Amino acid sequence: MTKPARCGTFAAVLLSLSITRASAHPHVWVTFHSGVIYAADGAMTGVRHAWTFDDMFSAYALQGIKHAKKGQYTREELAPLANVNVTSLKEYDYFTYARADGRKLKFSDATDYWLEYSNAALTLHFTLPLKAPAVAKALQIEIYDSSIFVDFEFAKDQPVLLSGAPPQCLLTVDLPHQPTPAEQLRLSQLDSDPLDASSTYGEIFANKILVKCP
């Protein structure tokens, strides 16, 4: 990973991404857990994320953060950083995209967000409420960065949980597509030949959450 030119926060990295759309690819690594939230009537109402950043990025992000105990950070001490990061993520749709029976869903601004620090890594927790609850037989949620600036990977232990879903609903996860030799070559060229700002190339490497209900 290359150190960001500005302060080491996720916001600064995203800002540099918006200006250059490329540096190293990927530049930040995220391992995540997600929860799909349902209301009592069986409608999906949102997604809950917990993103754990790689230790190098976490170290950069913590530069300049005041804390009372060496090597420890409280939720309160990390609150300003959490706020800046979540605000910045809005521009990138929180790297989260959803469809219900093929219909694109829209999320509201993130809520209930906070950061925790453990084992030399930061974890960002936040909820994405849907603008309108969705009832669907086939629900698909994708997590990816179209520029491949941020690399997302499902956590190995219970990567996704359903919260309040009808008992007959079936949850599966679809791991990212493994690049072909031609795609691997393209990835290796991103530093010198970056993707266009409107590119959706990273979509082919999406992490997919699939929920099917009768």
mmCIF file of all heavy atoms in Angstrom, residues 147-165:
data_model
loop_
_atom_site.group_PDB
_atom_site.id
_atom_site.type_symbol
_atom_site.label_atom_id
_atom_site.label_comp_id
_atom_site.label_asym_id
_atom_site.label_seq_id
_atom_site.Cartn_x
_atom_site.Cartn_y
_atom_site.Cartn_z
ATOM 1 N N SER A 147 -13.833 0.941 -9.242
ATOM 2 C CA SER A 147 -12.483 1.310 -9.668
ATOM 3 C C SER A 147 -11.428 0.303 -9.215
ATOM 4 O O SER A 147 -10.263 0.413 -9.592
ATOM 5 C CB SER A 147 -12.109 2.683 -9.110
ATOM 6 O OG SER A 147 -11.868 2.604 -7.724
ATOM 7 N N ILE A 148 -11.844 -0.652 -8.352
ATOM 8 C CA ILE A 148 -10.937 -1.650 -7.780
ATOM 9 C C ILE A 148 -9.858 -0.970 -6.932
ATOM 10 O O ILE A 148 -8.780 -1.503 -6.719
ATOM 11 C CB ILE A 148 -10.311 -2.571 -8.857
ATOM 12 C CG1 ILE A 148 -11.376 -2.948 -9.899
ATOM 13 C CG2 ILE A 148 -9.770 -3.854 -8.241
ATOM 14 C CD1 ILE A 148 -10.835 -3.796 -11.037
ATOM 15 N N PHE A 149 -10.154 0.226 -6.451
ATOM 16 C CA PHE A 149 -9.246 0.936 -5.547
ATOM 17 C C PHE A 149 -9.307 0.301 -4.156
ATOM 18 O O PHE A 149 -8.311 0.205 -3.458
ATOM 19 C CB PHE A 149 -9.668 2.403 -5.488
ATOM 20 C CG PHE A 149 -8.715 3.312 -4.792
ATOM 21 C CD1 PHE A 149 -7.640 3.856 -5.466
ATOM 22 C CD2 PHE A 149 -8.908 3.660 -3.470
ATOM 23 C CE1 PHE A 149 -6.767 4.724 -4.845
ATOM 24 C CE2 PHE A 149 -8.042 4.525 -2.827
ATOM 25 C CZ PHE A 149 -6.967 5.062 -3.518
ATOM 26 N N VAL A 150 -10.516 -0.121 -3.769
ATOM 27 C CA VAL A 150 -10.724 -0.829 -2.514
ATOM 28 C C VAL A 150 -11.085 -2.271 -2.832
ATOM 29 O O VAL A 150 -11.936 -2.534 -3.677
ATOM 30 C CB VAL A 150 -11.857 -0.188 -1.684
ATOM 31 C CG1 VAL A 150 -12.023 -0.913 -0.346
ATOM 32 C CG2 VAL A 150 -11.601 1.301 -1.467
ATOM 33 N N ASP A 151 -10.423 -3.194 -2.173
ATOM 34 C CA ASP A 151 -10.692 -4.621 -2.367
ATOM 35 C C ASP A 151 -11.548 -5.124 -1.207
ATOM 36 O O ASP A 151 -11.176 -4.964 -0.043
ATOM 37 C CB ASP A 151 -9.378 -5.406 -2.410
ATOM 38 C CG ASP A 151 -9.602 -6.894 -2.595
ATOM 39 O OD1 ASP A 151 -9.745 -7.329 -3.741
ATOM 40 O OD2 ASP A 151 -9.656 -7.620 -1.572
ATOM 41 N N PHE A 152 -12.700 -5.707 -1.517
ATOM 42 C CA PHE A 152 -13.609 -6.229 -0.503
ATOM 43 C C PHE A 152 -13.575 -7.753 -0.506
ATOM 44 O O PHE A 152 -13.559 -8.384 -1.564
ATOM 45 C CB PHE A 152 -15.038 -5.754 -0.764
ATOM 46 C CG PHE A 152 -15.263 -4.291 -0.488
ATOM 47 C CD1 PHE A 152 -15.144 -3.361 -1.509
ATOM 48 C CD2 PHE A 152 -15.566 -3.855 0.794
ATOM 49 C CE1 PHE A 152 -15.342 -2.008 -1.258
ATOM 50 C CE2 PHE A 152 -15.772 -2.508 1.058
ATOM 51 C CZ PHE A 152 -15.653 -1.581 0.024
ATOM 52 N N GLU A 153 -13.618 -8.325 0.695
ATOM 53 C CA GLU A 153 -13.615 -9.780 0.832
ATOM 54 C C GLU A 153 -14.551 -10.180 1.966
ATOM 55 O O GLU A 153 -14.503 -9.605 3.066
ATOM 56 C CB GLU A 153 -12.207 -10.288 1.134
ATOM 57 C CG GLU A 153 -12.125 -11.794 1.310
ATOM 58 C CD GLU A 153 -10.715 -12.257 1.667
ATOM 59 O OE1 GLU A 153 -9.877 -11.416 2.037
ATOM 60 O OE2 GLU A 153 -10.468 -13.478 1.588
ATOM 61 N N PHE A 154 -15.414 -11.165 1.704
ATOM 62 C CA PHE A 154 -16.266 -11.695 2.759
ATOM 63 C C PHE A 154 -15.420 -12.231 3.910
ATOM 64 O O PHE A 154 -14.391 -12.883 3.691
ATOM 65 C CB PHE A 154 -17.106 -12.871 2.236
ATOM 66 C CG PHE A 154 -18.320 -12.478 1.431
ATOM 67 C CD1 PHE A 154 -18.469 -12.917 0.123
ATOM 68 C CD2 PHE A 154 -19.326 -11.716 1.987
ATOM 69 C CE1 PHE A 154 -19.587 -12.588 -0.619
ATOM 70 C CE2 PHE A 154 -20.450 -11.379 1.263
ATOM 71 C CZ PHE A 154 -20.586 -11.811 -0.038
ATOM 72 N N ALA A 155 -15.855 -11.986 5.140
ATOM 73 C CA ALA A 155 -15.227 -12.631 6.290
ATOM 74 C C ALA A 155 -15.470 -14.133 6.176
ATOM 75 O O ALA A 155 -16.475 -14.580 5.619
ATOM 76 C CB ALA A 155 -15.815 -12.095 7.586
ATOM 77 N N LYS A 156 -14.549 -14.911 6.699
ATOM 78 C CA LYS A 156 -14.669 -16.369 6.571
ATOM 79 C C LYS A 156 -15.674 -16.954 7.564
ATOM 80 O O LYS A 156 -16.262 -18.006 7.323
ATOM 81 C CB LYS A 156 -13.293 -17.008 6.744
ATOM 82 C CG LYS A 156 -12.350 -16.678 5.582
ATOM 83 C CD LYS A 156 -11.026 -17.361 5.697
ATOM 84 C CE LYS A 156 -10.192 -17.199 4.426
ATOM 85 N NZ LYS A 156 -10.094 -15.814 3.964
ATOM 86 N N ASP A 157 -15.870 -16.311 8.690
ATOM 87 C CA ASP A 157 -16.780 -16.803 9.717
ATOM 88 C C ASP A 157 -18.093 -16.035 9.667
ATOM 89 O O ASP A 157 -18.136 -14.845 9.964
ATOM 90 C CB ASP A 157 -16.134 -16.643 11.100
ATOM 91 C CG ASP A 157 -17.046 -17.130 12.216
ATOM 92 O OD1 ASP A 157 -17.879 -18.018 11.960
ATOM 93 O OD2 ASP A 157 -16.930 -16.600 13.338
ATOM 94 N N GLN A 158 -19.162 -16.713 9.248
ATOM 95 C CA GLN A 158 -20.493 -16.115 9.153
ATOM 96 C C GLN A 158 -20.451 -14.740 8.480
ATOM 97 O O GLN A 158 -20.736 -13.716 9.113
ATOM 98 C CB GLN A 158 -21.131 -16.008 10.538
ATOM 99 C CG GLN A 158 -21.470 -17.352 11.156
ATOM 100 C CD GLN A 158 -22.260 -17.218 12.439
ATOM 101 O OE1 GLN A 158 -21.931 -16.399 13.312
ATOM 102 N NE2 GLN A 158 -23.312 -18.000 12.589
ATOM 103 N N PRO A 159 -20.109 -14.701 7.207
ATOM 104 C CA PRO A 159 -19.982 -13.408 6.527
ATOM 105 C C PRO A 159 -21.281 -12.629 6.418
ATOM 106 O O PRO A 159 -21.276 -11.404 6.415
ATOM 107 C CB PRO A 159 -19.457 -13.790 5.143
ATOM 108 C CG PRO A 159 -19.903 -15.207 4.946
ATOM 109 C CD PRO A 159 -19.833 -15.830 6.304
ATOM 110 N N VAL A 160 -22.417 -13.348 6.355
ATOM 111 C CA VAL A 160 -23.711 -12.679 6.188
ATOM 112 C C VAL A 160 -24.746 -13.354 7.081
ATOM 113 O O VAL A 160 -24.784 -14.588 7.185
ATOM 114 C CB VAL A 160 -24.193 -12.733 4.723
ATOM 115 C CG1 VAL A 160 -25.491 -11.941 4.570
ATOM 116 C CG2 VAL A 160 -23.134 -12.195 3.774
ATOM 117 N N LEU A 161 -25.583 -12.554 7.699
ATOM 118 C CA LEU A 161 -26.681 -13.060 8.516
ATOM 119 C C LEU A 161 -27.976 -12.381 8.091
ATOM 120 O O LEU A 161 -27.972 -11.219 7.675
ATOM 121 C CB LEU A 161 -26.428 -12.790 10.002
ATOM 122 C CG LEU A 161 -25.250 -13.515 10.654
ATOM 123 C CD1 LEU A 161 -25.067 -13.012 12.090
ATOM 124 C CD2 LEU A 161 -25.470 -15.022 10.631
ATOM 125 N N LEU A 162 -29.077 -13.108 8.202
ATOM 126 C CA LEU A 162 -30.400 -12.525 7.987
ATOM 127 C C LEU A 162 -30.984 -12.164 9.340
ATOM 128 O O LEU A 162 -30.970 -12.976 10.270
ATOM 129 C CB LEU A 162 -31.317 -13.513 7.273
ATOM 130 C CG LEU A 162 -30.894 -13.981 5.878
ATOM 131 C CD1 LEU A 162 -31.952 -14.911 5.291
ATOM 132 C CD2 LEU A 162 -30.662 -12.797 4.953
ATOM 133 N N SER A 163 -31.504 -10.959 9.453
ATOM 134 C CA SER A 163 -32.071 -10.484 10.711
ATOM 135 C C SER A 163 -33.566 -10.236 10.542
ATOM 136 O O SER A 163 -33.970 -9.276 9.885
ATOM 137 C CB SER A 163 -31.375 -9.201 11.155
ATOM 138 O OG SER A 163 -31.933 -8.696 12.342
ATOM 139 N N GLY A 164 -34.378 -11.134 11.104
ATOM 140 C CA GLY A 164 -35.821 -10.984 11.037
ATOM 141 C C GLY A 164 -36.457 -11.460 9.759
ATOM 142 O O GLY A 164 -37.641 -11.214 9.524
ATOM 143 N N ALA A 165 -35.711 -12.150 8.906
ATOM 144 C CA ALA A 165 -36.256 -12.612 7.629
ATOM 145 C C ALA A 165 -37.253 -13.749 7.847
ATOM 146 O O ALA A 165 -37.154 -14.503 8.821
ATOM 147 C CB ALA A 165 -35.132 -13.096 6.726
#
